[in-house]
Amino acid sequence: MLDDVYKEYGGYFYVPMTQGYSVAVPVTIGCSWDKCLYCDLNQGNRFKVLGLEEIDKRLNILYKFYSNRRRPVERVVLAGGNPFCLNTDILMQIIHLIREYFPHVKNISSFARADDILRKSKEELLALKKLGIGELSIGVESGNDEILAFHNKGVTREDNYRALKRLEECNISYSTYIMLGLGGKRLSRENAIDTASLLSMLNPQVIIVVTLVLFKNARLVEKVRRGEFERLNTLDSIKEEKLLLENLQMKNTIFNATHKTNAIILKGKLPEQKAMLLRKINKALEEYDLKSIRNRDIYRWKNWSLE
Ligand code: SF4
């Protein structure tokens, strides 16, 4: 029944980690930027916006699918690489449509890039919040400008800072994705320290930690082959995570490093559980021997192509 709703997304249908229990409403296919070196999430899909009529059709199917549930739908996520790139008027029309089908919705989330947020005024963001926008998910990735520029992220540390501060001023909650290993071997320390310093000036609800994976179709593969980027091994990515965590000074944030790309699974509240998380990392560092790390690397990367 739902195949028709998500037909363009193929095997790469993804929503923010914090939105696993939200109903995903297709809004865009692919990402409006689609230039980050490490990314192959869009699988060659050119960016496309589904029109209101098409969204309406799919909402109709979703409505039928969820109508016999005991609890009404209260959480929705706009599906697509960055549906928040749409202008405010269109987003508002989409939200009104969603509310016609799911009147009990309390939160509407979306992936968003910093520039998608910065294109919206504070007034526009407040209007979207009033309609239920919250728990946005922003791929900050790194707090270091050299790393962001190398990977062609298209936004700077300052852009990320200004965008997230603007959300905070509008009281719109958000999570940030950050990526271990994005600086490779050369900029591992900078990735940890600069990302920690950026996040420490902000107040995300959740920090989602992922580890760089060399996807077969990502543009990064060429850079690795040419020796322009050296990936961290598993041990070094754990060390980077330790440095990141040591330098994070958060006020009230969940540190969620449970993503499947990570070497160790960690989750805890900051600042309260920082010492516990560091103890787990230290234990992992003590227990890993080189052989198991090498085997683990081979096991971990074999499906995702190698340089
Ligand atoms: S902004 Fe996100 S989805 Fe778009 S290309 Fe970059 S990593 Fe991929």
Side-chain angles (χ1 to χ4, degrees):
M1 186 177 189
L2 295 186
D3 287 357
D4 281 348
V5 176
Y6 303 119
K7 57 189 173 197
E8 296 93 343
Y9 296 95
Y12 268 71
F13 182 62
Y14 54 95
V15 293
M17 253 184 105
T18 53
Q19 301 302 313
Y21 295 105
S22 299
V23 172
V25 175
V27 170
T28 55
I29 315 292
C31 159
S32 65
W33 175 248
D34 200 19
K35 292 183 184 138
C36 302
L37 289 190
Y38 55 86
C39 177
D40 88 334
L41 288 174
N42 303 304
Q43 291 284 291
N45 272 328
R46 296 195 65 166
F47 179 66
K48 183 177 157 193
V49 183
L50 298 178
L52 275 182
E53 209 176 305
E54 189 55 41
I55 296 173
D56 190 27
K57 264 193 223 158
R58 299 186 192 204
L59 273 167
N60 205 342
I61 302 173
L62 288 168
Y63 169 73
K64 285 179 190 147
F65 185 81
Y66 288 101
S67 58
N68 55 3
R69 301 282 161 110
R70 245 187 299 151
R71 288 177 64 83
V73 170
E74 293 184 342
R75 298 173 60 79
V76 160
V77 55
L78 309 180
N82 61 332
F84 210 67
C85 69
L86 299 179
N87 75 39
T88 305
D89 281 347
I90 295 177
L91 279 173
M92 287 173 115
Q93 288 176 43
I94 293 169
I95 295 171
H96 283 304
L97 200 52
I98 289 171
R99 289 196 165 283
E100 280 178 30
Y101 285 95
F102 300 120
H104 299 282
V105 160
K106 290 186 179 148
N107 191 76
I108 300 172
S109 168
S110 168
F111 273 124
R113 285 171 49 86
D115 47 357
D116 300 335
I117 296 164
L118 290 173
R119 275 194 303 276
K120 295 174 178 59
S121 67
K122 218 170 146 180
E123 291 66 34
E124 290 176 294
L125 289 169
L126 284 168
L128 289 167
K129 177 180 166 58
K130 218 169 160 188
L131 288 179
I133 283 287
E135 300 182 24
L136 292 179
S137 196
I138 293 88
V140 165
E141 324 300 3
S142 176
N144 178 280
D145 273 331
E146 188 180 345
I147 296 173
L148 292 173
F150 174 85
H151 286 281
N152 212 9
K153 186 71 194 171
V155 294
T156 61
R157 171 187 170 102
E158 178 65 15
D159 292 333
N160 276 322
Y161 176 74
R162 284 197 303 122
L164 300 181
K165 268 288 171 209
R166 193 173 295 177
L167 291 184
E168 288 178 15
E169 284 161 16
C170 297
N171 213 9
I172 295 176
S173 57
Y174 63 90
S175 58
T176 57
Y177 274 76
I178 58 159
M179 201 178 281
L180 299 173
L182 200 62
K185 282 191 182 160
R186 190 171 69 81
L187 294 174
S188 174
R189 187 174 171 77
E190 287 77 0
N191 194 35
I193 289 178
D194 293 346
T195 305
S197 74
L198 173 64
L199 294 174
S200 299
M201 294 191 286
L202 295 161
N203 199 12
Q205 219 178 16
V206 188
I207 295 172
I208 298 168
V209 182
V210 301
T211 301
L212 176 78
V213 168
L214 188 60
F215 289 108
K216 195 167 60 188
N217 298 315
R219 297 170 181 100
L220 184 60
V221 172
E222 260 321 294
K223 298 269 183 198
V224 173
R225 286 202 177 118
R226 291 204 298 259
E228 291 168 26
F229 185 85
E230 264 190 289
R231 288 188 301 146
L232 291 189
N233 62 32
T234 307
L235 181 64
D236 288 338
S237 79
I238 300 172
K239 287 181 182 165
E240 187 177 298
E241 188 170 26
K242 181 180 174 190
L243 191 59
L244 168 84
L245 193 52
E246 283 170 342
N247 283 277
L248 274 177
Q249 304 294 335
M250 307 311 296
K251 290 180 278 299
N252 183 19
T253 294
I254 305 284
F255 183 87
N256 183 346
T258 61
H259 194 267
K260 64 181 176 186
T261 54
N262 295 330
I264 46 177
I265 300 301
L266 291 174
K267 188 172 182 183
K269 200 154 183 255
L270 298 179
E272 296 91 321
Q273 293 178 309
K274 183 173 178 173
M276 176 274 287
L277 293 170
L278 282 170
R279 270 199 304 279
K280 282 193 176 177
I281 293 181
N282 285 332
K283 190 162 178 280
L285 287 172
E286 276 163 26
E287 285 173 359
Y288 277 86
D289 63 71
L290 270 175
K291 188 163 173 281
S292 71
I293 289 163
R294 201 162 31 243
N295 289 343
R296 189 185 177 118
D297 274 354
I298 290 166
Y299 172 75
R300 280 159 63 76
W301 304 120
K302 74 176 178 209
N303 295 329
W304 289 320
S305 116
L306 277 176
E307 51 269 45

